[in-house]
Amino acid sequence: MSVRLSLSYYILFNILLLILLPPLAYASNIDSNKNHYYLIMKDKINVEKQEKDWFIGALDNLITGNKQKISISGCDFKRFEGNKKNINNQLKKINFFENYDEELNKYNLLLNDFDELFLIDSSNLSEMCIGFSYTTIILLNDNELMIPYKQHLIFYKQLVNTDENKINNLKRNENCLQYKQVDMETTHTCYYQNMTILDVYEAMSFDPSNVFRKKIKIGEDFSDIYEDDYLRVEVEYKWKGENKLEIVQYFDGGVTYYTFVNQENRTKLITKLSPD
């Protein structure tokens, strides 16, 4: 199964996020001072390479959450209120233990390893979340998230505290204007107070959807091609002096442009999504 993402899909998805979600898309109504962030644990996807690449391509998201709510791509999962017995009964209702018995045994997981249960918030589903590919998230005692998905258990690890602080700082200092859309081309402008270009870029790099894989230095131009089984993108980084960075990402079918400008103790970021 081919899982390489074309830009048409990638850009359309991001345009829909801009249209349907507020500027702090991932945080929803969560207090950013108390947010935690999670990334997929690729080494715990124990399947054949082709299937593993498919899982990564489909599920490699930055997850935001706290004790009350978890958000993935703008879809909210609310904390299930109840004790271990209630959680057990709820999971039995959806045949979780029956459907994932082999996976639970593989990872030596029991109900006592489950700390919290989160269920998709069906009372507040956006268009993006209708028919979402999974409806249940389990927080384990070791602070990993576990998502039951297509007869497999997918795990996400919490970022270290210093990295979480960088993302929360980005969100606290973010002020975004209304997006502008002409035909299928969308432009989004945000300002980040008291943050440099390097600060903004580094905080955004934790989100795999931005494809900011390069560790940047001021004035250092860069070009490369990232080619995975689930994604191909050609990137160009060009500095225009010390206070302006332009990044272009060429996917199969279109282009994403990022322009960072640092001025008056803040960084302005213009993002333009341009599918074919």
Side-chain angles (χ1 to χ4, degrees):
M1 180 187 301
S2 174
V3 294
R4 178 170 291 172
L5 301 179
S6 70
L7 180 67
S8 298
Y9 172 84
Y10 172 83
I11 294 296
L12 285 173
F13 176 77
N14 282 279
I15 287 175
L16 284 171
L17 285 180
L18 289 175
I19 294 172
L20 297 172
L21 303 176
L24 296 181
Y26 292 101
S28 187
N29 293 320
I30 298 173
D31 180 356
S32 63
N33 289 305
K34 300 178 181 178
N35 281 350
H36 297 295
Y37 301 91
Y38 304 81
L39 287 172
I40 195 168
M41 300 176 68
K42 299 177 183 179
D43 59 333
K44 290 187 73 170
I45 304 177
N46 298 317
V47 295
E48 294 295 326
K49 183 180 184 304
Q50 187 175 26
E51 189 176 10
K52 180 175 181 176
D53 291 336
W54 189 90
F55 279 125
I56 294 172
L59 300 173
D60 193 10
N61 302 302
L62 179 68
I63 297 179
T64 302
N66 60 27
K67 280 292 186 180
Q68 298 303 318
K69 183 187 298 184
I70 289 174
S71 290
I72 305 176
S73 300
C75 300
D76 291 337
F77 291 72
K78 292 179 64 176
R79 178 177 175 271
F80 176 78
E81 300 291 343
N83 55 28
K84 293 282 187 182
K85 182 178 180 180
N86 301 131
I87 291 175
N88 181 60
N89 290 337
Q90 178 62 32
L91 290 173
K92 281 184 175 179
K93 285 182 182 179
I94 60 175
N95 298 318
F96 169 75
F97 295 106
E98 179 181 345
N99 293 335
Y100 290 90
D101 178 66
E102 184 176 340
E103 285 284 286
L104 291 169
N105 288 332
K106 180 195 299 184
Y107 296 105
N108 298 313
L109 290 171
L110 302 171
L111 178 64
N112 285 337
D113 297 308
F114 300 173
D115 187 39
E116 300 284 358
L117 175 65
F118 294 82
L119 304 174
I120 197 163
D121 185 1
S122 58
S123 66
N124 188 30
L125 288 180
S126 68
E127 185 175 340
M128 289 292 297
C129 304
I130 296 174
F132 206 62
S133 53
Y134 47 87
T135 59
T136 304
I137 300 175
I138 297 169
L139 175 66
L140 301 177
N141 294 337
D142 61 3
N143 283 329
E144 290 181 7
L145 293 181
M146 181 176 74
I147 296 179
Y149 181 76
K150 296 186 181 297
Q151 307 304 311
H152 292 278
L153 296 175
I154 308 299
F155 298 87
Y156 291 76
K157 184 176 182 178
Q158 183 180 335
L159 299 185
V160 298
N161 187 58
T162 52
D163 291 340
E164 290 191 331
N165 288 340
K166 292 172 184 176
I167 300 174
N168 283 327
N169 185 53
L170 179 84
K171 294 184 180 295
R172 281 194 299 269
N173 290 292
E174 182 179 65
N175 180 25
C176 293
L177 305 181
Q178 189 72 20
Y179 67 89
K180 296 180 181 179
Q181 185 172 3
V182 178
D183 296 326
M184 291 303 295
E185 185 173 278
T186 299
T187 301
H188 199 211
T189 302
C190 295
Y191 295 88
Y192 300 91
Q193 193 67 32
N194 301 317
M195 297 186 72
T196 67
I197 291 175
L198 298 185
D199 293 335
V200 175
Y201 178 92
E202 183 179 12
M204 292 179 65
S205 70
F206 293 106
D207 187 344
S209 69
N210 292 323
V211 200
F212 288 172
R213 301 181 183 180
K214 169 69 175 175
K215 297 289 186 181
I216 63 172
K217 296 180 180 179
I218 293 176
E220 185 178 279
D221 294 344
F222 170 78
S223 63
D224 201 355
I225 297 176
Y226 304 139
E227 190 162 12
D228 307 320
D229 287 329
Y230 55 93
L231 176 69
R232 184 187 188 280
V233 54
E234 181 178 350
V235 299
E236 293 180 356
Y237 289 59
K238 292 184 179 180
W239 287 88
K240 304 294 181 68
E242 295 185 353
N243 296 314
K244 184 175 182 179
L245 170 64
E246 295 177 349
I247 299 175
V248 186
Q249 298 174 339
Y250 301 93
F251 295 80
D252 296 333
V255 188
T256 303
Y257 303 89
Y258 297 95
T259 302
F260 298 80
V261 180
N262 186 258
Q263 55 188 10
E264 299 178 354
N265 203 33
R266 67 178 182 176
T267 292
K268 176 182 180 180
L269 172 59
I270 302 171
T271 304
K272 184 167 71 172
L273 308 174
S274 182
D276 285 347

